[in-house]
Amino acid sequence: MSIILRDPSGQIRVYCKGADSIIYDRLSPGGQEELKTTTTQQLEGFASEGLRTLCLAVRDLADDEYKTWKEKAHEAACAMDDREAKIDKVNELVETNMTLIGATAIEDKLQDGVPSAIASLAKGGIKIWVLTGDKQETAINIGFSCKLLTPELALIIVNADTKQ
């Protein structure tokens, strides 16, 4: 998710937030490896505590680049067919060559009654599967906090680095 704004000095900037895997793909090549490594280590630590994490990036836009994007964004927003796909494609034009500026980590508390409800379902013999976009460490921590996972349970983790 991104926002475009003009700062008090008149500079147009794109700020983008998202999962580290998404943001890292949008960074400008080279020069940010040390920051990415440090940020990744911090994100892993936050995730192991059950915190939900996001990365943040920024990019300056020239006035003419913004004007071109704005016209295309308006056209995409008015499209009658495939509007969301067209908007995503236009946004990708400015969500590139970004600079990593940081990360956030927040506690996303479970709603009252969730752990006991999940425990009751499991006691009743209902099989529960979880599919999540969370970082693996966060998902496991939340699984334990809501009593979906227990120390006696055999934990099977399926990961993939490619779509194949």
Side-chain angles (χ1 to χ4, degrees), residues 48-69:
S48 69
E49 295 175 29
L51 301 176
R52 304 198 79 160
T53 61
L54 290 173
C55 282
L56 310 166
V58 66
R59 175 179 172 220
D60 290 345
L61 291 179
D63 284 343
D64 60 335
E65 185 178 13
Y66 170 71
K67 287 177 187 172
T68 300
W69 172 84

Side-chain angles (χ1 to χ4, degrees), residues 66-160:
Y66 170 71
K67 287 177 187 172
T68 300
W69 172 84
K70 185 178 176 184
E71 289 171 9
K72 291 180 180 182
H74 178 72
E75 190 176 302
C78 293
M80 297 302 285
D81 296 317
D82 300 320
R83 179 178 301 146
E84 290 300 317
K86 290 176 181 176
I87 290 172
D88 289 344
K89 188 172 182 170
V90 169
N91 287 343
E92 287 176 10
L93 297 173
V94 294
E95 293 175 346
T96 60
N97 296 316
M98 303 193 85
T99 300
L100 182 63
I101 57 174
T104 64
I106 62 166
E107 181 179 13
D108 192 3
K109 291 188 176 189
L110 296 173
Q111 293 181 5
D112 291 340
V114 169
S116 60
I118 290 174
S120 295
L121 292 171
K123 270 187 184 174
I126 296 174
K127 303 294 181 201
I128 303 169
W129 286 59
V130 176
L131 177 62
T132 178
D134 284 325
K135 293 184 96 26
Q136 180 176 305
E137 297 86 354
T138 304
I140 291 170
N141 191 288
I142 291 170
F144 279 109
S145 70
C146 72
K147 300 181 182 175
L148 180 59
L149 302 177
T150 64
E152 303 81 36
L153 187 67
L155 188 60
I156 300 170
I157 299 170
V158 179
N159 286 325

Side-chain angles (χ1 to χ4, degrees), residues 17-25 27 33-57 100-106 133-139 141:
K17 71 168 183 152
D20 57 336
S21 58
I22 301 298
I23 296 297
Y24 287 178
D25 286 345
L27 298 178
E33 293 308 314
E34 187 176 333
L35 181 56
K36 280 172 57 177
T37 299
T38 301
T39 302
T40 299
Q41 290 169 349
Q42 292 172 339
L43 290 171
E44 289 170 357
F46 294 145
S48 69
E49 295 175 29
L51 301 176
R52 304 198 79 160
T53 61
L54 290 173
C55 282
L56 310 166
L100 182 63
I101 57 174
T104 64
I106 62 166
D134 284 325
K135 293 184 96 26
Q136 180 176 305
E137 297 86 354
T138 304
N141 191 288

